[in-house]
Amino acid sequence: MTRNTILLSALAAVVASPAMAQTVQVRIENLQEAGGMAFTPFWVGFHDGSFDVFDAGSAASGGITEIAELGDTGPLTARFAAEQPGGFDATFADPSGPPVFSPGESATMNYDVGDATVNRFFNYASMVVPTNDLFVGNDNSREIFDSAGNFLGPITIDIFGRSVWDNGTEVNDITDGPAFIAGIDATQGTDEFVDIERFFDRPGADGYLASIIGVTTAPGDEITRVFTEDQLIGRITIVPAPGVASVGLIAGLGLASRRRR
């Protein structure tokens, strides 16, 4: 049996496999400058496209409120496990220090997302710190793999100030129940009953951000600058994990090998 025959046989076995596992590398960055605002650990999930983290224009439910108000990913993780038993999700924290992503910090993790012909779509969510109930996340799932399980990246998700959402469950008052501010009980904020919408579409958005300047967070960091609507504040990058070849890449290597001969 020739080397080409062996390679093509191995490729055929991979293509015929009913479960095409894929390992991807996810990098999360807080692109704000020192003195800016932080992100809590990110919830990330890969699924079949039927899972909704939240619905813009509707009342918050199903775990996003706990992230938006307290940075707690547990309830969303539980709902994901119930609705997506074959999916993959994780809480992405900075492994090198405090779990929050402070300005200028980044972290990279590798994830085996399972069957890439099924878990084709990606969602994320994280609280903006310190606020009452602001968060970043994608309402519409991002397609990462095609129906054959081939990776569609590299994927870059830029997070701007205009990407920030207001959860609509707690009044925006930095003195009344915001999370992660020294001396304030984050469970005591005044309830609000409005739908999720983009933060900068809310009346008084700029004034609320201005009121955060000078606040000291629980870790002892003073907020000296806040973001604007058009400012790039974060980025998520998804690529194949180094050293782990996807089905499409294996096929490409096989063709390249044949061409060299």
PDB file of all heavy atoms in Angstrom, residues 54-58 124 133-140 158-168 172 194-205 227 229:
ATOM      1  N   PHE A  54     -30.285  35.345  25.070  1.00  0.00           N
ATOM      2  CA  PHE A  54     -31.274  36.373  25.383  1.00  0.00           C
ATOM      3  C   PHE A  54     -31.915  36.834  24.088  1.00  0.00           C
ATOM      4  O   PHE A  54     -31.429  36.509  22.994  1.00  0.00           O
ATOM      5  CB  PHE A  54     -30.615  37.570  26.102  1.00  0.00           C
ATOM      6  CG  PHE A  54     -29.656  38.356  25.250  1.00  0.00           C
ATOM      7  CD1 PHE A  54     -30.071  39.511  24.592  1.00  0.00           C
ATOM      8  CD2 PHE A  54     -28.336  37.965  25.097  1.00  0.00           C
ATOM      9  CE1 PHE A  54     -29.201  40.243  23.799  1.00  0.00           C
ATOM     10  CE2 PHE A  54     -27.446  38.688  24.314  1.00  0.00           C
ATOM     11  CZ  PHE A  54     -27.885  39.831  23.669  1.00  0.00           C
ATOM     12  N   ASP A  55     -33.011  37.556  24.210  1.00  0.00           N
ATOM     13  CA  ASP A  55     -33.708  38.097  23.046  1.00  0.00           C
ATOM     14  C   ASP A  55     -33.846  39.602  23.211  1.00  0.00           C
ATOM     15  O   ASP A  55     -34.566  40.068  24.108  1.00  0.00           O
ATOM     16  CB  ASP A  55     -35.091  37.466  22.886  1.00  0.00           C
ATOM     17  CG  ASP A  55     -35.012  36.016  22.461  1.00  0.00           C
ATOM     18  OD1 ASP A  55     -34.314  35.727  21.488  1.00  0.00           O
ATOM     19  OD2 ASP A  55     -35.649  35.167  23.123  1.00  0.00           O
ATOM     20  N   ALA A  56     -33.162  40.359  22.382  1.00  0.00           N
ATOM     21  CA  ALA A  56     -33.281  41.812  22.427  1.00  0.00           C
ATOM     22  C   ALA A  56     -34.727  42.219  22.174  1.00  0.00           C
ATOM     23  O   ALA A  56     -35.413  41.644  21.330  1.00  0.00           O
ATOM     24  CB  ALA A  56     -32.375  42.438  21.378  1.00  0.00           C
ATOM     25  N   GLY A  57     -35.204  43.188  22.951  1.00  0.00           N
ATOM     26  CA  GLY A  57     -36.572  43.644  22.818  1.00  0.00           C
ATOM     27  C   GLY A  57     -37.567  42.848  23.631  1.00  0.00           C
ATOM     28  O   GLY A  57     -38.773  43.099  23.556  1.00  0.00           O
ATOM     29  N   SER A  58     -37.054  41.885  24.410  1.00  0.00           N
ATOM     30  CA  SER A  58     -37.911  41.084  25.281  1.00  0.00           C
ATOM     31  C   SER A  58     -37.390  41.155  26.708  1.00  0.00           C
ATOM     32  O   SER A  58     -36.240  41.529  26.950  1.00  0.00           O
ATOM     33  CB  SER A  58     -37.938  39.619  24.815  1.00  0.00           C
ATOM     34  OG  SER A  58     -38.447  39.510  23.508  1.00  0.00           O
ATOM     35  N   TYR A 124     -21.795  34.102  23.558  1.00  0.00           N
ATOM     36  CA  TYR A 124     -21.002  34.522  24.713  1.00  0.00           C
ATOM     37  C   TYR A 124     -21.799  35.531  25.522  1.00  0.00           C
ATOM     38  O   TYR A 124     -22.751  36.146  25.027  1.00  0.00           O
ATOM     39  CB  TYR A 124     -19.665  35.143  24.274  1.00  0.00           C
ATOM     40  CG  TYR A 124     -19.807  36.481  23.589  1.00  0.00           C
ATOM     41  CD1 TYR A 124     -19.681  37.677  24.307  1.00  0.00           C
ATOM     42  CD2 TYR A 124     -20.083  36.575  22.224  1.00  0.00           C
ATOM     43  CE1 TYR A 124     -19.826  38.914  23.687  1.00  0.00           C
ATOM     44  CE2 TYR A 124     -20.225  37.803  21.597  1.00  0.00           C
ATOM     45  CZ  TYR A 124     -20.097  38.962  22.328  1.00  0.00           C
ATOM     46  OH  TYR A 124     -20.240  40.189  21.718  1.00  0.00           O
ATOM     47  N   ASP A 133     -26.582  46.590  35.623  1.00  0.00           N
ATOM     48  CA  ASP A 133     -26.993  45.402  34.856  1.00  0.00           C
ATOM     49  C   ASP A 133     -26.625  45.519  33.373  1.00  0.00           C
ATOM     50  O   ASP A 133     -27.405  45.149  32.495  1.00  0.00           O
ATOM     51  CB  ASP A 133     -28.496  45.145  35.009  1.00  0.00           C
ATOM     52  CG  ASP A 133     -29.371  46.264  34.440  1.00  0.00           C
ATOM     53  OD1 ASP A 133     -28.841  47.366  34.169  1.00  0.00           O
ATOM     54  OD2 ASP A 133     -30.585  46.037  34.260  1.00  0.00           O
ATOM     55  N   LEU A 134     -25.431  46.004  33.102  1.00  0.00           N
ATOM     56  CA  LEU A 134     -24.957  46.076  31.722  1.00  0.00           C
ATOM     57  C   LEU A 134     -24.141  44.828  31.402  1.00  0.00           C
ATOM     58  O   LEU A 134     -23.403  44.313  32.245  1.00  0.00           O
ATOM     59  CB  LEU A 134     -24.105  47.318  31.493  1.00  0.00           C
ATOM     60  CG  LEU A 134     -24.745  48.671  31.803  1.00  0.00           C
ATOM     61  CD1 LEU A 134     -23.834  49.810  31.329  1.00  0.00           C
ATOM     62  CD2 LEU A 134     -26.142  48.800  31.200  1.00  0.00           C
ATOM     63  N   PHE A 135     -24.271  44.356  30.171  1.00  0.00           N
ATOM     64  CA  PHE A 135     -23.521  43.166  29.774  1.00  0.00           C
ATOM     65  C   PHE A 135     -23.197  43.211  28.286  1.00  0.00           C
ATOM     66  O   PHE A 135     -23.762  44.000  27.523  1.00  0.00           O
ATOM     67  CB  PHE A 135     -24.307  41.890  30.101  1.00  0.00           C
ATOM     68  CG  PHE A 135     -25.527  41.651  29.237  1.00  0.00           C
ATOM     69  CD1 PHE A 135     -25.461  40.821  28.121  1.00  0.00           C
ATOM     70  CD2 PHE A 135     -26.749  42.251  29.540  1.00  0.00           C
ATOM     71  CE1 PHE A 135     -26.579  40.590  27.332  1.00  0.00           C
ATOM     72  CE2 PHE A 135     -27.877  42.021  28.764  1.00  0.00           C
ATOM     73  CZ  PHE A 135     -27.790  41.189  27.649  1.00  0.00           C
ATOM     74  N   VAL A 136     -22.264  42.368  27.888  1.00  0.00           N
ATOM     75  CA  VAL A 136     -21.973  42.155  26.471  1.00  0.00           C
ATOM     76  C   VAL A 136     -22.345  40.714  26.139  1.00  0.00           C
ATOM     77  O   VAL A 136     -22.250  39.819  26.974  1.00  0.00           O
ATOM     78  CB  VAL A 136     -20.499  42.436  26.121  1.00  0.00           C
ATOM     79  CG1 VAL A 136     -20.169  43.903  26.311  1.00  0.00           C
ATOM     80  CG2 VAL A 136     -19.543  41.559  26.938  1.00  0.00           C
ATOM     81  N   GLY A 137     -22.794  40.500  24.920  1.00  0.00           N
ATOM     82  CA  GLY A 137     -23.190  39.167  24.485  1.00  0.00           C
ATOM     83  C   GLY A 137     -23.800  39.256  23.106  1.00  0.00           C
ATOM     84  O   GLY A 137     -24.119  40.349  22.623  1.00  0.00           O
ATOM     85  N   ASN A 138     -23.966  38.112  22.443  1.00  0.00           N
ATOM     86  CA  ASN A 138     -24.571  38.135  21.110  1.00  0.00           C
ATOM     87  C   ASN A 138     -25.959  37.510  21.147  1.00  0.00           C
ATOM     88  O   ASN A 138     -26.148  36.366  21.561  1.00  0.00           O
ATOM     89  CB  ASN A 138     -23.677  37.455  20.068  1.00  0.00           C
ATOM     90  CG  ASN A 138     -23.276  36.029  20.419  1.00  0.00           C
ATOM     91  OD1 ASN A 138     -23.213  35.657  21.587  1.00  0.00           O
ATOM     92  ND2 ASN A 138     -22.982  35.240  19.399  1.00  0.00           N
ATOM     93  N   ASP A 139     -26.925  38.316  20.730  1.00  0.00           N
ATOM     94  CA  ASP A 139     -28.315  37.880  20.644  1.00  0.00           C
ATOM     95  C   ASP A 139     -28.448  36.808  19.569  1.00  0.00           C
ATOM     96  O   ASP A 139     -29.052  35.755  19.792  1.00  0.00           O
ATOM     97  CB  ASP A 139     -29.193  39.100  20.350  1.00  0.00           C
ATOM     98  CG  ASP A 139     -30.657  38.739  20.150  1.00  0.00           C
ATOM     99  OD1 ASP A 139     -31.041  37.639  20.556  1.00  0.00           O
ATOM    100  OD2 ASP A 139     -31.404  39.559  19.599  1.00  0.00           O
ATOM    101  N   ASN A 140     -27.871  37.055  18.405  1.00  0.00           N
ATOM    102  CA  ASN A 140     -27.911  36.100  17.301  1.00  0.00           C
ATOM    103  C   ASN A 140     -26.645  35.245  17.327  1.00  0.00           C
ATOM    104  O   ASN A 140     -25.527  35.766  17.351  1.00  0.00           O
ATOM    105  CB  ASN A 140     -28.006  36.831  15.965  1.00  0.00           C
ATOM    106  CG  ASN A 140     -29.287  37.636  15.853  1.00  0.00           C
ATOM    107  OD1 ASN A 140     -30.366  37.153  16.193  1.00  0.00           O
ATOM    108  ND2 ASN A 140     -29.180  38.877  15.385  1.00  0.00           N
ATOM    109  N   ASP A 158     -15.554  41.684  17.256  1.00  0.00           N
ATOM    110  CA  ASP A 158     -15.190  42.945  17.897  1.00  0.00           C
ATOM    111  C   ASP A 158     -16.350  43.444  18.754  1.00  0.00           C
ATOM    112  O   ASP A 158     -17.504  43.470  18.306  1.00  0.00           O
ATOM    113  CB  ASP A 158     -14.835  43.995  16.847  1.00  0.00           C
ATOM    114  CG  ASP A 158     -13.471  43.750  16.214  1.00  0.00           C
ATOM    115  OD1 ASP A 158     -12.615  43.116  16.865  1.00  0.00           O
ATOM    116  OD2 ASP A 158     -13.258  44.195  15.072  1.00  0.00           O
ATOM    117  N   ILE A 159     -16.041  43.831  19.975  1.00  0.00           N
ATOM    118  CA  ILE A 159     -17.048  44.311  20.922  1.00  0.00           C
ATOM    119  C   ILE A 159     -16.856  45.818  21.104  1.00  0.00           C
ATOM    120  O   ILE A 159     -15.831  46.262  21.632  1.00  0.00           O
ATOM    121  CB  ILE A 159     -16.918  43.590  22.275  1.00  0.00           C
ATOM    122  CG1 ILE A 159     -17.016  42.067  22.079  1.00  0.00           C
ATOM    123  CG2 ILE A 159     -17.992  44.079  23.246  1.00  0.00           C
ATOM    124  CD1 ILE A 159     -16.697  41.276  23.324  1.00  0.00           C
ATOM    125  N   PHE A 160     -17.820  46.599  20.643  1.00  0.00           N
ATOM    126  CA  PHE A 160     -17.764  48.049  20.748  1.00  0.00           C
ATOM    127  C   PHE A 160     -18.652  48.515  21.901  1.00  0.00           C
ATOM    128  O   PHE A 160     -19.454  47.744  22.445  1.00  0.00           O
ATOM    129  CB  PHE A 160     -18.235  48.692  19.444  1.00  0.00           C
ATOM    130  CG  PHE A 160     -17.289  48.509  18.293  1.00  0.00           C
ATOM    131  CD1 PHE A 160     -17.369  47.389  17.479  1.00  0.00           C
ATOM    132  CD2 PHE A 160     -16.309  49.459  18.023  1.00  0.00           C
ATOM    133  CE1 PHE A 160     -16.490  47.215  16.413  1.00  0.00           C
ATOM    134  CE2 PHE A 160     -15.432  49.300  16.957  1.00  0.00           C
ATOM    135  CZ  PHE A 160     -15.524  48.171  16.150  1.00  0.00           C
ATOM    136  N   GLY A 161     -18.530  49.789  22.238  1.00  0.00           N
ATOM    137  CA  GLY A 161     -19.425  50.353  23.229  1.00  0.00           C
ATOM    138  C   GLY A 161     -20.879  50.173  22.830  1.00  0.00           C
ATOM    139  O   GLY A 161     -21.739  49.902  23.665  1.00  0.00           O
ATOM    140  N   ARG A 162     -21.164  50.287  21.548  1.00  0.00           N
ATOM    141  CA  ARG A 162     -22.541  50.115  21.075  1.00  0.00           C
ATOM    142  C   ARG A 162     -23.004  48.666  21.166  1.00  0.00           C
ATOM    143  O   ARG A 162     -24.184  48.368  20.969  1.00  0.00           O
ATOM    144  CB  ARG A 162     -22.671  50.607  19.637  1.00  0.00           C
ATOM    145  CG  ARG A 162     -21.789  49.886  18.623  1.00  0.00           C
ATOM    146  CD  ARG A 162     -22.021  50.405  17.210  1.00  0.00           C
ATOM    147  NE  ARG A 162     -21.117  49.823  16.237  1.00  0.00           N
ATOM    148  CZ  ARG A 162     -19.936  50.337  15.929  1.00  0.00           C
ATOM    149  NH1 ARG A 162     -19.530  51.465  16.510  1.00  0.00           N
ATOM    150  NH2 ARG A 162     -19.159  49.752  15.026  1.00  0.00           N
ATOM    151  N   SER A 163     -22.064  47.749  21.447  1.00  0.00           N
ATOM    152  CA  SER A 163     -22.415  46.333  21.617  1.00  0.00           C
ATOM    153  C   SER A 163     -22.910  46.028  23.027  1.00  0.00           C
ATOM    154  O   SER A 163     -23.357  44.906  23.294  1.00  0.00           O
ATOM    155  CB  SER A 163     -21.193  45.448  21.324  1.00  0.00           C
ATOM    156  OG  SER A 163     -20.593  45.744  20.090  1.00  0.00           O
ATOM    157  N   VAL A 164     -22.815  46.985  23.947  1.00  0.00           N
ATOM    158  CA  VAL A 164     -23.208  46.759  25.337  1.00  0.00           C
ATOM    159  C   VAL A 164     -24.730  46.801  25.451  1.00  0.00           C
ATOM    160  O   VAL A 164     -25.397  47.682  24.890  1.00  0.00           O
ATOM    161  CB  VAL A 164     -22.565  47.820  26.258  1.00  0.00           C
ATOM    162  CG1 VAL A 164     -23.091  47.693  27.688  1.00  0.00           C
ATOM    163  CG2 VAL A 164     -21.041  47.672  26.237  1.00  0.00           C
ATOM    164  N   TRP A 165     -25.271  45.836  26.221  1.00  0.00           N
ATOM    165  CA  TRP A 165     -26.715  45.734  26.420  1.00  0.00           C
ATOM    166  C   TRP A 165     -27.101  46.158  27.833  1.00  0.00           C
ATOM    167  O   TRP A 165     -26.321  45.979  28.771  1.00  0.00           O
ATOM    168  CB  TRP A 165     -27.171  44.293  26.207  1.00  0.00           C
ATOM    169  CG  TRP A 165     -26.946  43.773  24.829  1.00  0.00           C
ATOM    170  CD1 TRP A 165     -25.840  43.094  24.381  1.00  0.00           C
ATOM    171  CD2 TRP A 165     -27.816  43.891  23.703  1.00  0.00           C
ATOM    172  NE1 TRP A 165     -25.972  42.776  23.054  1.00  0.00           N
ATOM    173  CE2 TRP A 165     -27.176  43.249  22.600  1.00  0.00           C
ATOM    174  CE3 TRP A 165     -29.079  44.469  23.517  1.00  0.00           C
ATOM    175  CZ2 TRP A 165     -27.761  43.168  21.352  1.00  0.00           C
ATOM    176  CZ3 TRP A 165     -29.656  44.386  22.260  1.00  0.00           C
ATOM    177  CH2 TRP A 165     -29.008  43.746  21.192  1.00  0.00           C
ATOM    178  N   ASP A 166     -28.298  46.700  27.968  1.00  0.00           N
ATOM    179  CA  ASP A 166     -28.891  46.974  29.269  1.00  0.00           C
ATOM    180  C   ASP A 166     -29.930  45.889  29.517  1.00  0.00           C
ATOM    181  O   ASP A 166     -30.862  45.717  28.735  1.00  0.00           O
ATOM    182  CB  ASP A 166     -29.541  48.356  29.269  1.00  0.00           C
ATOM    183  CG  ASP A 166     -29.984  48.797  30.656  1.00  0.00           C
ATOM    184  OD1 ASP A 166     -30.573  47.958  31.379  1.00  0.00           O
ATOM    185  OD2 ASP A 166     -29.760  49.958  31.017  1.00  0.00           O
ATOM    186  N   ASN A 167     -29.765  45.158  30.611  1.00  0.00           N
ATOM    187  CA  ASN A 167     -30.643  44.009  30.883  1.00  0.00           C
ATOM    188  C   ASN A 167     -32.064  44.418  31.255  1.00  0.00           C
ATOM    189  O   ASN A 167     -32.991  43.611  31.171  1.00  0.00           O
ATOM    190  CB  ASN A 167     -30.042  43.163  32.004  1.00  0.00           C
ATOM    191  CG  ASN A 167     -30.622  41.771  32.061  1.00  0.00           C
ATOM    192  OD1 ASN A 167     -30.600  41.048  31.069  1.00  0.00           O
ATOM    193  ND2 ASN A 167     -31.135  41.384  33.214  1.00  0.00           N
ATOM    194  N   GLY A 168     -32.238  45.665  31.709  1.00  0.00           N
ATOM    195  CA  GLY A 168     -33.581  46.159  32.003  1.00  0.00           C
ATOM    196  C   GLY A 168     -34.197  45.643  33.286  1.00  0.00           C
ATOM    197  O   GLY A 168     -35.401  45.777  33.498  1.00  0.00           O
ATOM    198  N   ASN A 172     -30.436  51.942  36.588  1.00  0.00           N
ATOM    199  CA  ASN A 172     -29.042  52.361  36.440  1.00  0.00           C
ATOM    200  C   ASN A 172     -28.739  53.504  37.417  1.00  0.00           C
ATOM    201  O   ASN A 172     -28.921  54.681  37.114  1.00  0.00           O
ATOM    202  CB  ASN A 172     -28.755  52.806  35.005  1.00  0.00           C
ATOM    203  CG  ASN A 172     -28.741  51.644  34.036  1.00  0.00           C
ATOM    204  OD1 ASN A 172     -28.457  50.510  34.425  1.00  0.00           O
ATOM    205  ND2 ASN A 172     -29.035  51.915  32.769  1.00  0.00           N
ATOM    206  N   VAL A 194     -38.149  46.589  32.312  1.00  0.00           N
ATOM    207  CA  VAL A 194     -38.175  46.961  30.899  1.00  0.00           C
ATOM    208  C   VAL A 194     -37.432  45.890  30.112  1.00  0.00           C
ATOM    209  O   VAL A 194     -36.719  45.052  30.670  1.00  0.00           O
ATOM    210  CB  VAL A 194     -37.553  48.354  30.653  1.00  0.00           C
ATOM    211  CG1 VAL A 194     -38.344  49.424  31.364  1.00  0.00           C
ATOM    212  CG2 VAL A 194     -36.098  48.389  31.096  1.00  0.00           C
ATOM    213  N   ASP A 195     -37.601  45.925  28.801  1.00  0.00           N
ATOM    214  CA  ASP A 195     -36.982  44.909  27.947  1.00  0.00           C
ATOM    215  C   ASP A 195     -35.485  45.162  27.768  1.00  0.00           C
ATOM    216  O   ASP A 195     -34.991  46.277  27.959  1.00  0.00           O
ATOM    217  CB  ASP A 195     -37.651  44.905  26.570  1.00  0.00           C
ATOM    218  CG  ASP A 195     -39.102  44.459  26.635  1.00  0.00           C
ATOM    219  OD1 ASP A 195     -39.475  43.776  27.616  1.00  0.00           O
ATOM    220  OD2 ASP A 195     -39.865  44.801  25.706  1.00  0.00           O
ATOM    221  N   ILE A 196     -34.785  44.109  27.381  1.00  0.00           N
ATOM    222  CA  ILE A 196     -33.369  44.243  27.037  1.00  0.00           C
ATOM    223  C   ILE A 196     -33.232  45.109  25.794  1.00  0.00           C
ATOM    224  O   ILE A 196     -33.931  44.907  24.795  1.00  0.00           O
ATOM    225  CB  ILE A 196     -32.744  42.860  26.778  1.00  0.00           C
ATOM    226  CG1 ILE A 196     -32.748  42.016  28.043  1.00  0.00           C
ATOM    227  CG2 ILE A 196     -31.320  43.003  26.247  1.00  0.00           C
ATOM    228  CD1 ILE A 196     -32.257  40.585  27.835  1.00  0.00           C
ATOM    229  N   GLU A 197     -32.345  46.082  25.854  1.00  0.00           N
ATOM    230  CA  GLU A 197     -32.062  46.907  24.681  1.00  0.00           C
ATOM    231  C   GLU A 197     -30.624  47.390  24.740  1.00  0.00           C
ATOM    232  O   GLU A 197     -29.953  47.272  25.765  1.00  0.00           O
ATOM    233  CB  GLU A 197     -33.021  48.087  24.599  1.00  0.00           C
ATOM    234  CG  GLU A 197     -32.888  49.086  25.730  1.00  0.00           C
ATOM    235  CD  GLU A 197     -33.840  50.267  25.555  1.00  0.00           C
ATOM    236  OE1 GLU A 197     -34.179  50.603  24.413  1.00  0.00           O
ATOM    237  OE2 GLU A 197     -34.235  50.862  26.582  1.00  0.00           O
ATOM    238  N   ARG A 198     -30.150  47.905  23.632  1.00  0.00           N
ATOM    239  CA  ARG A 198     -28.782  48.409  23.598  1.00  0.00           C
ATOM    240  C   ARG A 198     -28.660  49.575  24.575  1.00  0.00           C
ATOM    241  O   ARG A 198     -29.503  50.474  24.613  1.00  0.00           O
ATOM    242  CB  ARG A 198     -28.390  48.825  22.189  1.00  0.00           C
ATOM    243  CG  ARG A 198     -28.324  47.645  21.240  1.00  0.00           C
ATOM    244  CD  ARG A 198     -27.584  47.957  19.957  1.00  0.00           C
ATOM    245  NE  ARG A 198     -27.592  46.806  19.065  1.00  0.00           N
ATOM    246  CZ  ARG A 198     -26.727  45.802  19.102  1.00  0.00           C
ATOM    247  NH1 ARG A 198     -25.763  45.820  20.016  1.00  0.00           N
ATOM    248  NH2 ARG A 198     -26.800  44.801  18.256  1.00  0.00           N
ATOM    249  N   PHE A 199     -27.595  49.544  25.357  1.00  0.00           N
ATOM    250  CA  PHE A 199     -27.428  50.518  26.429  1.00  0.00           C
ATOM    251  C   PHE A 199     -27.479  51.943  25.912  1.00  0.00           C
ATOM    252  O   PHE A 199     -28.130  52.813  26.510  1.00  0.00           O
ATOM    253  CB  PHE A 199     -26.106  50.247  27.150  1.00  0.00           C
ATOM    254  CG  PHE A 199     -25.695  51.346  28.089  1.00  0.00           C
ATOM    255  CD1 PHE A 199     -26.482  51.683  29.182  1.00  0.00           C
ATOM    256  CD2 PHE A 199     -24.514  52.057  27.875  1.00  0.00           C
ATOM    257  CE1 PHE A 199     -26.107  52.704  30.052  1.00  0.00           C
ATOM    258  CE2 PHE A 199     -24.129  53.064  28.738  1.00  0.00           C
ATOM    259  CZ  PHE A 199     -24.927  53.400  29.824  1.00  0.00           C
ATOM    260  N   PHE A 200     -26.814  52.229  24.813  1.00  0.00           N
ATOM    261  CA  PHE A 200     -26.765  53.611  24.329  1.00  0.00           C
ATOM    262  C   PHE A 200     -28.081  54.070  23.710  1.00  0.00           C
ATOM    263  O   PHE A 200     -28.218  55.242  23.358  1.00  0.00           O
ATOM    264  CB  PHE A 200     -25.601  53.797  23.353  1.00  0.00           C
ATOM    265  CG  PHE A 200     -24.282  54.004  24.056  1.00  0.00           C
ATOM    266  CD1 PHE A 200     -23.362  52.974  24.153  1.00  0.00           C
ATOM    267  CD2 PHE A 200     -23.969  55.223  24.637  1.00  0.00           C
ATOM    268  CE1 PHE A 200     -22.145  53.164  24.806  1.00  0.00           C
ATOM    269  CE2 PHE A 200     -22.762  55.426  25.293  1.00  0.00           C
ATOM    270  CZ  PHE A 200     -21.848  54.389  25.381  1.00  0.00           C
ATOM    271  N   ASP A 201     -29.042  53.166  23.593  1.00  0.00           N
ATOM    272  CA  ASP A 201     -30.384  53.573  23.172  1.00  0.00           C
ATOM    273  C   ASP A 201     -31.235  54.012  24.362  1.00  0.00           C
ATOM    274  O   ASP A 201     -32.323  54.560  24.173  1.00  0.00           O
ATOM    275  CB  ASP A 201     -31.100  52.413  22.461  1.00  0.00           C
ATOM    276  CG  ASP A 201     -30.515  52.129  21.091  1.00  0.00           C
ATOM    277  OD1 ASP A 201     -29.814  53.002  20.561  1.00  0.00           O
ATOM    278  OD2 ASP A 201     -30.754  51.021  20.565  1.00  0.00           O
ATOM    279  N   ARG A 202     -30.735  53.778  25.568  1.00  0.00           N
ATOM    280  CA  ARG A 202     -31.465  54.159  26.766  1.00  0.00           C
ATOM    281  C   ARG A 202     -31.254  55.643  27.074  1.00  0.00           C
ATOM    282  O   ARG A 202     -30.122  56.151  26.995  1.00  0.00           O
ATOM    283  CB  ARG A 202     -31.005  53.325  27.985  1.00  0.00           C
ATOM    284  CG  ARG A 202     -31.292  51.856  27.909  1.00  0.00           C
ATOM    285  CD  ARG A 202     -32.766  51.530  28.062  1.00  0.00           C
ATOM    286  NE  ARG A 202     -33.310  51.966  29.340  1.00  0.00           N
ATOM    287  CZ  ARG A 202     -33.301  51.244  30.446  1.00  0.00           C
ATOM    288  NH1 ARG A 202     -32.739  50.048  30.440  1.00  0.00           N
ATOM    289  NH2 ARG A 202     -33.838  51.699  31.547  1.00  0.00           N
ATOM    290  N   PRO A 203     -32.299  56.386  27.449  1.00  0.00           N
ATOM    291  CA  PRO A 203     -32.110  57.777  27.875  1.00  0.00           C
ATOM    292  C   PRO A 203     -31.172  57.841  29.076  1.00  0.00           C
ATOM    293  O   PRO A 203     -31.237  57.010  29.989  1.00  0.00           O
ATOM    294  CB  PRO A 203     -33.532  58.216  28.261  1.00  0.00           C
ATOM    295  CG  PRO A 203     -34.439  57.286  27.522  1.00  0.00           C
ATOM    296  CD  PRO A 203     -33.720  55.981  27.469  1.00  0.00           C
ATOM    297  N   GLY A 204     -30.272  58.814  29.058  1.00  0.00           N
ATOM    298  CA  GLY A 204     -29.374  59.009  30.190  1.00  0.00           C
ATOM    299  C   GLY A 204     -28.160  58.110  30.208  1.00  0.00           C
ATOM    300  O   GLY A 204     -27.450  58.050  31.225  1.00  0.00           O
ATOM    301  N   ALA A 205     -27.876  57.414  29.097  1.00  0.00           N
ATOM    302  CA  ALA A 205     -26.745  56.476  29.072  1.00  0.00           C
ATOM    303  C   ALA A 205     -25.426  57.186  29.361  1.00  0.00           C
ATOM    304  O   ALA A 205     -24.617  56.722  30.186  1.00  0.00           O
ATOM    305  CB  ALA A 205     -26.687  55.765  27.719  1.00  0.00           C
ATOM    306  N   PHE A 227     -16.200  54.015  28.565  1.00  0.00           N
ATOM    307  CA  PHE A 227     -16.192  53.809  27.112  1.00  0.00           C
ATOM    308  C   PHE A 227     -17.212  54.701  26.415  1.00  0.00           C
ATOM    309  O   PHE A 227     -18.166  55.200  27.020  1.00  0.00           O
ATOM    310  CB  PHE A 227     -16.461  52.341  26.785  1.00  0.00           C
ATOM    311  CG  PHE A 227     -17.729  51.794  27.361  1.00  0.00           C
ATOM    312  CD1 PHE A 227     -18.939  51.933  26.695  1.00  0.00           C
ATOM    313  CD2 PHE A 227     -17.721  51.120  28.579  1.00  0.00           C
ATOM    314  CE1 PHE A 227     -20.119  51.428  27.231  1.00  0.00           C
ATOM    315  CE2 PHE A 227     -18.891  50.604  29.129  1.00  0.00           C
ATOM    316  CZ  PHE A 227     -20.091  50.764  28.445  1.00  0.00           C
ATOM    317  N   GLU A 229     -19.656  55.098  22.674  1.00  0.00           N
ATOM    318  CA  GLU A 229     -20.454  54.229  21.814  1.00  0.00           C
ATOM    319  C   GLU A 229     -19.624  53.579  20.713  1.00  0.00           C
ATOM    320  O   GLU A 229     -19.815  52.410  20.374  1.00  0.00           O
ATOM    321  CB  GLU A 229     -21.608  55.033  21.200  1.00  0.00           C
ATOM    322  CG  GLU A 229     -22.612  54.206  20.445  1.00  0.00           C
ATOM    323  CD  GLU A 229     -23.843  55.004  20.081  1.00  0.00           C
ATOM    324  OE1 GLU A 229     -23.896  56.222  20.366  1.00  0.00           O
ATOM    325  OE2 GLU A 229     -24.784  54.418  19.508  1.00  0.00           O
TER     326      GLU A 229
END
